[in-house]
Amino acid sequence: MLFKPAVEAARFWNPYTQTLPRAELERLHLRKLQTVIGYAYEHSRMYRALLDRHRVRPEQIRTMDDFVERLPYIDKQEILDAQAVDPPFGDALALPPDFFEQRFATSGSTGAPFHIPLSHRSAALWGESWTYLYWSIGLRPRHSFYFAFNWGIFAAFWSAYMGVRRLGGTVVSGGGLDTTARIKQIEQYRPDVLFATPTYALYFAEAARELGVDLRKTSISYVVVAGEPGGSIPATRQAIEDLWGARCYELYGIAEIGPTNPGCPLQQGVHLCEDWYHALVVDERGVPVPYGEVGEHIVTSYIQDGQPLIKYRTHDLIRWTDEPCGCGTTWLYYPGGVLGRTDHMLIIKGVNVYPSAVEALLHRVGGLTEHYELHAGRDAANDFLTVKVEARSEVAKDDYARLGRQAADVLRSTIGVTIGVDVQAPATLPRYELKAKRFFDHRPAEHRWQLQGRAS
């Protein structure tokens, strides 16, 4: 299809660090890791207690092997426990609150909210992480950016806003509006860029049809997605691009640690922002996996000075590589973006099944929409998966069973295992503005990924 004209050729935001040889990047990482470990030990009661418990002193981290083998991983629950000592930040705090520029919290869907403090420096560098993406795809200060986002306590697209401020672009806020009103606002203000989750970028189509609006004829030339996988899944990305007549790019981040991975301008995955973050990818034993393999993403932030996070378990599954990317950067590359969560990966008759693969394959079946749910269970010997997915409005109800069989055949022929598909009527499944809840896990906890690292 034809896209709206591209602007300037992409260039690096920071040509020096984005093209450093891998060996030099590793030497730089070691110095930064030593600095942040020393800072956390001195200023955070939580980290001092954690390192003392594992009999590790900052000065003992002399090599990258020391960092990998001696320093413990840390998980969300440990930080929640430290915050609970004296809410909201407790023993996790490493900076007096009068230094904070902004505070965020997670939804607390699994218990107590996770509180996230940002200093002025942290906020500025959260924004800086986005500018690597903006600049690489041709966005400049003259462009305007539309936020289909209700501003609140959740981090969500706040860091993207900080990035627009850093770039010098124009912000157009869709806060407090429903989807219909946002479409009208886009027509009125004519922004260049839309920010949304992949699910919500696709959901715009339903409101647009009711208004008789062709989203391809709006001013939007770029759709930047975040908050859930999708932008690096070819079929999902293509669906968004077809809907908007615009290029679709993504950024992968973690609310409590920041926007870690700006998307590659070639659209096939994301790069680690190695100016501000270090990453490991490990197996269930906590042992780093070789480049090219899948494992859990373990991240250290150099910029969370209010609440340091070092070797933080994200529970995201990624495949990493140090192979040169066509875009020219030497930063680590994650083809396909996030493949799923550690607690979402299933092993069905010996085959690893990732939610992102199922989503990509569902798009191959004509007559199905982008609205789906994955329900995981376990029988006596194996995990199993059932998909609920909505039919398009023009599909007759009598065809639902045929569509389900067709989708199941596509999944079986490509993945190699049987996955049940239940086709639902349109508007049956819930709609989401931010992260869509796609995965429902009914398996016993002992049959999910458990990290057993040497430094766990």
Side-chain angles (χ1 to χ4, degrees), residues 90-209:
D91 285 351
L93 193 64
L95 199 65
D98 53 353
F99 281 88
F100 294 165
E101 177 175 287
Q102 197 161 352
R103 299 181 178 188
F104 298 112
T106 64
S107 61
S109 58
T110 58
F114 187 115
H115 297 281
I116 306 164
L118 279 193
S119 68
H120 178 78
R121 171 180 175 271
S122 297
L125 296 181
W126 267 27
E128 184 95 358
S129 291
W130 281 88
T131 58
Y132 297 101
L133 172 60
Y134 300 159
W135 200 262
S136 72
I137 64 177
L139 295 173
R140 299 296 183 264
R142 67 175 178 274
H143 289 108
S144 57
F145 299 74
Y146 188 83
F147 285 81
F149 166 53
N150 286 323
W151 307 92
I153 196 66
F154 305 141
F157 284 99
W158 273 104
S159 59
Y161 162 81
M162 296 163 187
V164 174
R165 287 289 183 240
R166 176 69 180 92
L167 180 71
T170 300
V171 171
V172 183
S173 171
L177 302 177
D178 63 17
T179 308
T180 297
R182 286 171 175 164
I183 292 172
K184 293 178 179 178
Q185 198 176 51
I186 287 170
E187 290 184 307
Q188 178 182 9
Y189 289 106
R190 299 187 57 78
D192 303 292
V193 184
L194 170 73
F195 288 106
T197 63
T199 301
Y200 193 51
L202 291 166
Y203 176 63
F204 266 91
E206 296 183 20
R209 279 195 295 268

Side-chain angles (χ1 to χ4, degrees), residues 340-392:
R341 300 276 295 168
T342 57
D343 47 356
H344 292 182
M345 188 187 80
L346 292 92
I347 302 176
I348 302 177
K349 296 184 177 179
V351 177
N352 290 349
V353 177
Y354 304 103
S356 60
V358 176
E359 177 179 348
L361 293 171
L362 288 175
H363 283 287
R364 294 187 186 179
V365 182
L368 298 180
T369 74
E370 65 278 4
H371 304 293
Y372 70 93
E373 292 180 351
L374 306 179
H375 290 263
R378 186 170 178 87
D379 58 24
N382 289 290
D383 294 342
F384 63 85
L385 186 67
T386 302
V387 179
K388 294 182 179 180
V389 60
E390 286 184 14
R392 296 196 179 279

Side-chain angles (χ1 to χ4, degrees), residues 24 34 42 101 148 158 172 211-212 215 218 259 276 305 339 351:
E24 292 186 38
Q34 290 168 330
E42 181 178 352
E101 177 175 287
W158 273 104
V172 183
L211 294 172
L215 295 175
T218 68
W276 314 133
D305 43 16
L339 304 177
V351 177

Side-chain angles (χ1 to χ4, degrees), residues 377-379 383 441-448 450:
R378 186 170 178 87
D379 58 24
D383 294 342
D441 200 340
H442 312 290
R443 296 173 296 168
E446 62 268 21
H447 290 292
R448 305 174 194 178
Q450 299 290 333

Side-chain angles (χ1 to χ4, degrees), residues 73-85:
Y73 300 115
I74 193 166
D75 208 339
K76 185 175 185 176
Q77 188 58 52
E78 293 175 85
I79 300 164
L80 287 169
D81 292 344
Q83 290 183 343
V85 171

Side-chain angles (χ1 to χ4, degrees), residues 184-428:
K184 293 178 179 178
Q185 198 176 51
I186 287 170
E187 290 184 307
Q188 178 182 9
Y189 289 106
R190 299 187 57 78
D192 303 292
V193 184
L194 170 73
F195 288 106
T197 63
T199 301
Y200 193 51
L202 291 166
Y203 176 63
F204 266 91
E206 296 183 20
R209 279 195 295 268
E210 293 178 4
L211 294 172
V213 172
D214 185 349
L215 295 175
R216 295 171 297 178
K217 295 180 179 178
T218 68
S219 59
I220 298 296
S221 297
Y222 305 82
V223 177
V224 180
V225 296
E228 62 188 15
S232 291
I233 299 173
T236 303
R237 183 178 66 250
Q238 188 65 56
I240 293 171
E241 291 186 339
D242 290 345
L243 172 63
W244 287 94
R247 291 289 184 188
C248 176
Y249 302 90
E250 79 165 332
L251 181 140
Y252 155 50
I254 304 101
E256 55 267 34
I257 204 166
T260 56
N261 293 77
C264 179
L266 301 182
Q267 300 176 281
Q268 301 298 313
V270 298
H271 289 280
L272 179 69
C273 181
E274 296 198 56
D275 275 345
W276 314 133
Y277 300 98
H278 175 269
L280 297 170
V281 180
V282 304
D283 62 19
E284 291 182 74
R285 299 167 297 157
V287 177
V289 301
Y291 292 123
E293 294 191 9
V294 174
E296 181 176 350
H297 195 206
I298 307 293
V299 179
T300 297
S301 170
Y302 301 139
I303 59 177
Q304 296 293 91
D305 43 16
Q307 186 168 264
L309 293 173
I310 302 168
K311 288 184 75 172
Y312 181 70
R313 292 191 60 195
T314 69
H315 295 272
D316 291 327
L317 287 168
I318 61 97
R319 185 188 308 277
W320 67 339
T321 178
D322 64 342
E323 291 294 322
C325 178
C327 75
T329 185
T330 53
W331 284 357
L332 291 173
Y333 181 50
Y334 304 169
V338 177
L339 304 177
R341 300 276 295 168
T342 57
D343 47 356
H344 292 182
M345 188 187 80
L346 292 92
I347 302 176
I348 302 177
K349 296 184 177 179
V351 177
N352 290 349
V353 177
Y354 304 103
S356 60
V358 176
E359 177 179 348
L361 293 171
L362 288 175
H363 283 287
R364 294 187 186 179
V365 182
L368 298 180
T369 74
E370 65 278 4
H371 304 293
Y372 70 93
E373 292 180 351
L374 306 179
H375 290 263
R378 186 170 178 87
D379 58 24
N382 289 290
D383 294 342
F384 63 85
L385 186 67
T386 302
V387 179
K388 294 182 179 180
V389 60
E390 286 184 14
R392 296 196 179 279
S393 57
E394 63 270 18
V395 175
K397 189 173 182 180
D398 290 345
D399 285 333
Y400 288 3
R402 177 189 59 79
L403 265 183
R405 291 192 297 272
Q406 182 182 347
D409 287 343
V410 168
L411 295 173
R412 183 172 56 253
S413 64
T414 306
I415 298 176
V417 296
T418 299
I419 296 174
V421 180
D422 180 11
V423 178
Q424 312 263 306
T428 302

